[in-house]
Amino acid sequence: MNNQLFQQARSAYAQKDYQGALEAYQQCLQDAANPVAPGEAGQLHHQIGNCLVKLKAPNEAIQSYTQAIADEAYDARGAVHYNLGMAYAALHDYENAVQNFEAAVSDAKYDSSYKAYTGMGNALLKMGKSAEAGVAFRNAALDEANPDPTKALLNLGVCFMALNRPADAVASYESALQFDMQPTMHNRLYANLGQAYVATGQMQKAVNAFEQSIADKTYFLSDSASVDYQRAIAAVAQGTSEITQVMTPVSGAAPAAAAGGADTSGIDVPADGSGMYAEQDPYGTQAQTSPYYYTDPYGPEAAGQYDTAAADDRFFSASDEELEQWSRGVAKQERKRKNVGLKVLVVIILLVLVAFGAGVFMYTQGWGYPSQDSVVTQLFADPDNASSLYSAEVSDSSAASMTDALVKDSAPTINAVEKSMTDSTAYVTASTEGGGQMQYKVSMVRDMIGWKVSNVELYFPSQN
């Protein structure tokens, strides 16, 4: 192998010149004057795959990683399988992603199994397999090589909550308290722990945990966590819960420098390949993160808040009276002038007024075109090409994060829609490829006469 060219490629990669690094690695691979030895071909294909990942070409990266695995003399096969799993996850091919993550952890030479277990857990959650995902996150947490098991423990807690096992979720969250963590993670841990306490009826502990999560005033509870917080406060005020001591804060959790906006009580973990980074990359890359969300345990408000049918009747009845009054006035003129054209004009004007009034009324009641149902259906039918459905206030990074959280379903079930003139909320159940179901809360804001998506939250079933 041409070592000089190989070092040039490594240098280009270190300087984030991924296209230049790709070309140099390819030249090194094709250099007939310096043929590659067994094992070197796998190394080159591995590095080429890393470059393609950086250039956002996961399909081509999969081909290169597959060629790297084909070189049996290459001894970093576990790392390649991990990268393959992340690339497949980026394409939402979760079954192949899981298979490659399993291959990675089965390689005795692969010393970062916790990364593969974490990726495996995320993919399994996408497939609606909460129990299997929990096993993967547990293995990630128990891996002695894992420098930060808090994320795995937090995700394990989410899986327990999804499986209606809040007591186990409490144990998982409390286990995470023994580790140092960043303030943001510290706050999210206590918010999640507060919801688990509510689900187990430990209301005083829940109040203490929620207050700990917002103590530094940089963290905002999600909708569901806020409701649980209020429930816990009410229960304690009524003397219906046991008074316990305030939980000990996590060591080293200093206040954050600035607030990061409304929080969703999710957990920062790589998902869908958005955090793809090359295994054994000597230069390192910063992993992206994608949140998982808690369910809103209380769902949409009861139906029948607005009697739209009765309101429509009142509206059109009033319009008929107005039409009759106008018609009488016109009839008097017509008997004198016999101006049929004026009659037609007045009728047209009245019809326009009625139509306009009906449109205004429907607008105030949350109706629009396209409708909320139509926007939600389009969003889930093709999440990767749904950028036009997001509100202009949604940043590119937020839109990407919300898209990652979606399960593709051409016919999602819209359980309920709460409508108002300026905003609406849809509660949706989408079916995964593995036969599972994921529940979402889709928030929308008015966009002219239609609707745009402002936020997407992934929710699990209620914990009472």
Side-chain angles (χ1 to χ4, degrees), residues 49-66:
N50 294 347
C51 294
L52 291 168
V53 165
K54 292 297 185 182
L55 295 171
K56 303 185 184 302
N59 283 299
E60 293 81 355
I62 287 173
Q63 295 178 8
S64 294
Y65 288 142
T66 302

Side-chain angles (χ1 to χ4, degrees), residues 9 24 53 140 171 215 232 279 292 300 320 333 349 357 381 447 455:
V53 165
E279 196 65 56
Y292 285 98
D320 288 341
Q333 296 178 10
I349 291 174
D447 181 62
N455 191 33

Side-chain angles (χ1 to χ4, degrees), residues 34 165 282 296 324 336 383 396 452:
N34 297 277
R165 295 170 58 181
D296 184 342
E324 183 178 356
K336 295 179 180 180
D396 291 343
K452 293 289 187 180

Side-chain angles (χ1 to χ4, degrees), residues 222-224 263-265 293-296 402 405-406 428 439-443 455-459:
S222 68
D223 292 341
S224 61
D263 193 274
T264 54
S265 290
Y293 302 94
Y294 258 165
T295 179
D296 184 342
M402 288 187 283
L406 292 172
V428 187
Q439 296 181 2
Y440 296 85
K441 175 182 175 183
V442 181
S443 301
N455 191 33
V456 178
E457 297 183 38
L458 175 60
Y459 284 118

Side-chain angles (χ1 to χ4, degrees), residues 253-458:
D263 193 274
T264 54
S265 290
I267 300 141
D268 292 333
V269 292
D272 289 351
S274 61
M276 288 193 298
Y277 52 91
E279 196 65 56
Q280 295 186 355
D281 177 1
Y283 308 106
T285 59
Q286 183 176 2
Q288 300 289 327
T289 58
S290 173
Y292 285 98
Y293 302 94
Y294 258 165
T295 179
D296 184 342
Y298 311 102
E301 296 293 332
Q305 292 184 49
Y306 304 100
D307 188 353
T308 55
D312 288 346
D313 290 342
R314 290 194 297 272
F315 176 82
F316 287 109
S317 174
S319 298
D320 288 341
E321 292 175 0
E322 181 183 4
L323 179 60
E324 183 178 356
Q325 292 174 1
W326 280 47
S327 296
R328 288 175 180 175
V330 174
K332 291 179 181 179
Q333 296 178 10
E334 286 300 314
R335 283 193 292 268
K336 295 179 180 180
R337 301 174 58 183
K338 304 296 182 181
N339 191 337
V340 178
L342 183 58
K343 282 185 177 181
V344 175
L345 177 61
V346 172
V347 171
I348 292 175
I349 291 174
L350 290 175
L351 292 175
V352 170
L353 290 175
V354 170
F356 177 76
V360 170
F361 175 79
M362 295 179 71
Y363 183 91
T364 61
Q365 298 302 306
W367 296 93
Y369 182 82
S371 66
Q372 296 92 333
D373 289 23
S374 177
V375 171
V376 168
T377 300
Q378 292 181 54
L379 178 67
F380 281 87
D382 190 7
D384 294 331
N385 296 305
S387 58
S388 62
L389 301 178
Y390 290 112
S391 168
E393 285 73 23
V394 176
S395 65
D396 291 343
S397 59
S398 296
S401 179
M402 288 187 283
T403 299
D404 285 341
L406 292 172
V407 170
K408 186 174 183 180
D409 186 351
S410 60
T413 300
I414 301 176
N415 303 312
V417 179
E418 296 178 352
K419 301 177 182 178
S420 71
M421 182 172 69
T422 58
D423 54 70
S424 294
T425 303
Y427 296 85
V428 187
T429 300
S431 299
T432 66
E433 296 179 357
Q437 289 187 331
M438 305 293 282
Q439 296 181 2
Y440 296 85
K441 175 182 175 183
V442 181
S443 301
M444 290 169 277
V445 294
R446 179 73 74 173
D447 181 62
M448 301 298 288
I449 64 171
W451 296 95
K452 293 289 187 180
V453 176
S454 61
N455 191 33
V456 178
E457 297 183 38
L458 175 60

Side-chain angles (χ1 to χ4, degrees), residues 41-372:
Q43 182 182 18
L44 287 171
H45 283 298
H46 187 171
Q47 297 303 324
I48 288 173
N50 294 347
C51 294
L52 291 168
V53 165
K54 292 297 185 182
L55 295 171
K56 303 185 184 302
N59 283 299
E60 293 81 355
I62 287 173
Q63 295 178 8
S64 294
Y65 288 142
T66 302
Q67 289 178 287
I69 291 175
D71 185 354
E72 297 183 358
Y74 187 47
D75 60 359
R77 299 166 64 84
V80 178
H81 275 296
Y82 168 75
N83 284 4
L84 264 173
M86 297 297 281
Y88 276 119
L91 298 174
H92 298 187
D93 185 350
Y94 301 117
E95 290 187 2
N96 275 322
V98 169
Q99 290 177 7
N100 278 281
F101 289 136
E102 290 175 341
V105 299
S106 65
D107 183 358
K109 295 182 179 179
Y110 183 54
D111 58 1
S112 298
S113 294
Y114 67 92
K115 294 181 181 178
Y117 278 125
T118 299
M120 189 188 309
N122 294 332
L124 288 167
L125 274 180
K126 288 288 189 175
M127 297 167 68
K129 298 182 178 181
S130 299
E132 294 89 338
V135 173
F137 287 129
R138 178 180 180 275
N139 289 331
L142 294 176
D143 189 345
E144 294 181 356
N146 188 347
D148 182 16
T150 53
K151 293 179 180 179
L153 289 169
L154 286 166
N155 278 290
L156 178 59
V158 170
C159 293
F160 279 133
M161 291 292 282
L163 294 169
N164 196 25
R165 295 170 58 181
D168 291 322
V170 167
S172 181
Y173 295 144
E174 289 181 341
S175 296
L177 291 174
Q178 63 182 298
F179 300 99
D180 291 340
M181 63 191 79
Q182 293 298 316
T184 300
M185 184 64 67
H186 159 270
N187 293 335
R188 292 185 177 186
L189 166 62
Y190 274 105
N192 290 359
L193 181 59
Q195 291 199 274
Y197 279 141
V198 169
T200 56
Q202 302 180 73
M203 296 304 187
Q204 181 61 56
K205 284 188 175 181
V207 171
N208 296 337
F210 285 128
E211 290 179 349
Q212 184 67 40
S213 72
I214 60 177
D216 62 13
K217 299 181 180 181
T218 65
Y219 182 84
F220 300 89
L221 297 176
S222 68
D223 292 341
S224 61
S226 296
V227 174
D228 275 339
Y229 184 24
Q230 296 305 316
R231 288 180 65 199
I233 290 175
V236 172
Q238 294 171 4
T240 57
S241 64
E242 180 181 358
I243 304 300
T244 61
Q245 293 182 343
V246 177
M247 300 181 66
T248 304
V250 176
S251 174
D263 193 274
T264 54
S265 290
I267 300 141
D268 292 333
V269 292
D272 289 351
S274 61
M276 288 193 298
Y277 52 91
E279 196 65 56
Q280 295 186 355
D281 177 1
Y283 308 106
T285 59
Q286 183 176 2
Q288 300 289 327
T289 58
S290 173
Y292 285 98
Y293 302 94
Y294 258 165
T295 179
D296 184 342
Y298 311 102
E301 296 293 332
Q305 292 184 49
Y306 304 100
D307 188 353
T308 55
D312 288 346
D313 290 342
R314 290 194 297 272
F315 176 82
F316 287 109
S317 174
S319 298
D320 288 341
E321 292 175 0
E322 181 183 4
L323 179 60
E324 183 178 356
Q325 292 174 1
W326 280 47
S327 296
R328 288 175 180 175
V330 174
K332 291 179 181 179
Q333 296 178 10
E334 286 300 314
R335 283 193 292 268
K336 295 179 180 180
R337 301 174 58 183
K338 304 296 182 181
N339 191 337
V340 178
L342 183 58
K343 282 185 177 181
V344 175
L345 177 61
V346 172
V347 171
I348 292 175
I349 291 174
L350 290 175
L351 292 175
V352 170
L353 290 175
V354 170
F356 177 76
V360 170
F361 175 79
M362 295 179 71
Y363 183 91
T364 61
Q365 298 302 306
W367 296 93
Y369 182 82
S371 66
Q372 296 92 333

